[in-house]
Amino acid sequence: MRPKDKIAYFYDGDVGSVYFGPNHPMKPHRLCMTHHLVLAYDLHKKMEIYRPHKAYPVELAQFHSADYVEFLHRITPDTQHLFSNELARYNLGEDCPVFENLFEFCQIYAGGTIDAARRLNNQLCDIAINWAGGLHHAKKCEASGFCYINDLVLGILELLKYHARVLYIDIDVHHGDGVEEAFYFTDRVMTVSFHKYGDMFFPGTGDVKDIGEREGKFYAINVPLKDGIDDTSFTRLFKTIISKVVEMYQPGAIVLQCGADSLAGDRLGCFNLSIDGHAECVRIVKKFNLPLLVTGGGGYTKENVARCWTVETGVLLDTELPNEIPENEYIKYFAPECLLNIPNGHIEHTQDKQIQRDDEYYDGDNDNDQNMDM
């Protein structure tokens, strides 16, 4: 009988208190909600919990250009009006706004993924979790799609110090373009992304014909999907493709990005996955018994993001969770049913409730989501 996996879990409460601003769909507050659900289910008692270090600028510059990192470090909401050229150059603006404590936010979520990779490298755990990470769109010299620093690339670079080959898997509804681009010319990282493609859907990349170049040719796999894909189709594709990839590529470690915007009812997504269907992908990857780094990613219906990542924490711990959500600080977000699993196709669009709650949470900030594209 194989010994139980040792799990390391990274969390810093400060990451959930940053605010992207009114009308912005990214709510880091979802990380507090996830953490409190994890605590309410007593999952923390089965893991080692760590507060990540804040990644140093020199660590961020292992992938990103030094001038971009320096600018993120320097810019504030009060001074941004002085830097219109740089804001345009680094793609900071509507999607990627400059907000209070932006750089510290990047340092925390990137530090979590770097620390997770280091613990795996040192064989101090079998699985490492950083739900604050997974910001897969950020590029070497610019922000993109709500992502400023690409923690996944930094984590993979860390894993490559100890492993000849790393497999990256992405189940966010959006293509993992930043990670694919970073490793497009190497065979040391295989990237596999399952995502919505077509209809001008962001970021517009991830065609099945994009397979890598030079030494990286055939080491990028894209699985472009249409609106409305359900559990049965998604998990069948996922299991078939990933099983063959692991068999042929034989990675030393796996990084799994678990963007929850592929769930039914997501404010920005268009798939029809239930939480169980999404979590089945995690279960499949866990069974390979390889060093595994698990991150969050997208996910814009906050209560369902928290449900999903809590269920997936349970999956990684081989722990079945009762469907009734225990009392916790954020229980009102899960009302009236207060259940963990909601079948696909029945996840309510809780936009109106979310607007009201976010207004309350930010104590007067006008977090009015009504103008967001659905």
Side-chain angles (χ1 to χ4, degrees):
M1 179 92 174
R2 191 171 170 273
K4 256 199 167 345
D5 287 319
K6 191 170 185 183
I7 319 281
Y9 171 100
F10 294 86
Y11 178 73
D12 183 327
D14 291 345
V15 85
S17 60
V18 301
Y19 183 49
F20 275 61
N23 296 334
H24 202 291
M26 177 60 98
K27 315 286 184 194
H29 181 227
R30 66 202 178 130
L31 299 164
C32 295
M33 292 168 62
T34 302
H35 185 65
H36 278 81
L37 263 194
V38 165
L39 296 178
Y41 277 106
D42 282 342
L43 297 178
H44 58 294
K45 296 176 179 173
K46 302 181 177 188
M47 307 185 281
E48 293 185 342
I49 312 291
Y50 297 98
R51 188 173 196 166
H53 86 289
K54 288 176 182 155
Y56 299 106
V58 69
E59 292 178 290
L60 304 180
Q62 295 301 301
F63 170 57
H64 294 283
S65 64
D67 60 302
Y68 173 54
V69 172
E70 200 269 326
F71 185 72
L72 286 179
H73 199 173
R74 189 162 37 109
I75 194 72
T76 68
D78 294 337
T79 60
Q80 62 177 321
H81 67 282
L82 303 170
F83 297 99
S84 53
N85 289 344
E86 287 90 341
L87 291 172
R89 184 190 314 152
Y90 299 126
N91 198 32
L92 297 169
E94 195 174 355
D95 270 4
C96 300
V98 175
F99 52 80
E100 209 63 58
N101 300 318
L102 165 60
F103 192 67
E104 186 184 28
F105 171 68
C106 295
Q107 288 180 292
I108 293 170
Y109 78 72
T113 301
I114 293 166
D115 285 352
R118 287 177 181 159
R119 284 200 82 78
L120 288 166
N121 280 346
N122 293 317
Q123 299 181 358
L124 296 171
C125 62
D126 304 298
I127 298 169
I129 303 169
N130 178 28
W131 292 126
L135 279 77
H136 58 173
H137 296 307
K139 308 295 198 301
K140 181 182 173 73
C141 302
E142 65 175 47
S144 177
F146 318 158
C147 306
Y148 302 83
I149 292 292
N150 199 316
D151 62 291
L152 292 157
V153 171
L154 295 169
I156 291 167
L157 289 173
E158 202 64 41
L159 291 170
L160 287 171
K161 294 176 182 176
Y162 283 70
H163 299 282
R165 291 176 303 284
V166 174
L167 172 60
Y168 171 72
I169 305 169
D170 190 316
I171 59 171
D172 194 289
V173 76
H174 301 96
H175 176 230
D177 59 337
V179 183
E180 179 184 277
E181 185 179 296
F183 299 110
Y184 207 60
F185 299 108
T186 179
D187 57 3
R188 291 197 59 201
V189 180
M190 180 171 269
T191 60
V192 188
S193 179
F194 298 78
H195 51 268
K196 157 73 178 176
Y197 180 73
D199 309 322
M200 308 285 287
F201 195 74
F202 185 86
T205 51
D207 194 327
V208 71
K209 296 195 287 285
D210 298 334
I211 58 170
E213 290 179 28
R214 303 205 299 253
E215 285 78 24
K217 192 171 184 182
F218 307 122
Y219 292 90
I221 297 176
N222 284 296
V223 187
L225 303 165
K226 296 288 182 203
D227 290 7
I229 190 166
D230 62 9
D231 290 353
T232 309
S233 304
F234 193 95
T235 55
R236 187 175 60 228
L237 262 176
F238 185 88
K239 186 171 187 178
T240 306
I241 292 166
I242 295 303
S243 300
K244 197 65 181 173
V245 163
V246 170
E247 180 195 336
M248 301 305 292
Y249 188 59
Q250 300 201 342
I254 299 178
V255 176
L256 176 60
Q257 195 268 21
C258 296
D261 47 9
S262 41
L263 292 174
D266 187 81
R267 290 178 57 212
L268 300 187
C270 53
F271 286 174
N272 201 28
L273 299 185
S274 71
I275 289 165
D276 275 343
H278 198 274
E280 181 59 25
C281 298
V282 178
R283 196 172 279 111
I284 289 164
V285 174
K286 181 183 187 297
K287 283 180 181 161
F288 293 117
N289 294 327
L290 289 164
L292 176 58
L293 200 170
V294 179
T295 73
Y300 307 100
T301 301
K302 294 198 300 186
E303 52 271 43
N304 294 334
V305 175
R307 284 181 169 107
C308 182
W309 292 344
T310 302
V311 167
E312 288 169 354
T313 304
V315 165
L316 294 166
L317 288 165
D318 295 314
T319 302
E320 194 79 33
L321 304 181
N323 199 23
E324 194 169 322
I325 293 173
E327 183 58 44
N328 71 89
E329 199 175 319
Y330 300 103
I331 193 75
K332 64 177 183 177
Y333 284 86
F334 307 101
E337 68 285 343
C338 294
L339 299 177
L340 196 57
N341 285 295
I342 300 172
N344 61 323
H346 300 288
I347 296 183
E348 281 182 55
H349 230 312
T350 50
Q351 189 182 7
D352 295 335
K353 287 195 287 183
Q354 187 159 308
I355 294 165
Q356 184 189 339
R357 288 167 182 156
D358 287 339
D359 282 341
E360 290 167 8
Y361 180 74
Y362 289 105
D363 194 24
D365 272 316
N366 177 25
D367 190 21
N368 178 5
D369 296 325
Q370 285 167 321
N371 299 324
M372 289 309 305
D373 290 333
M374 299 315 296

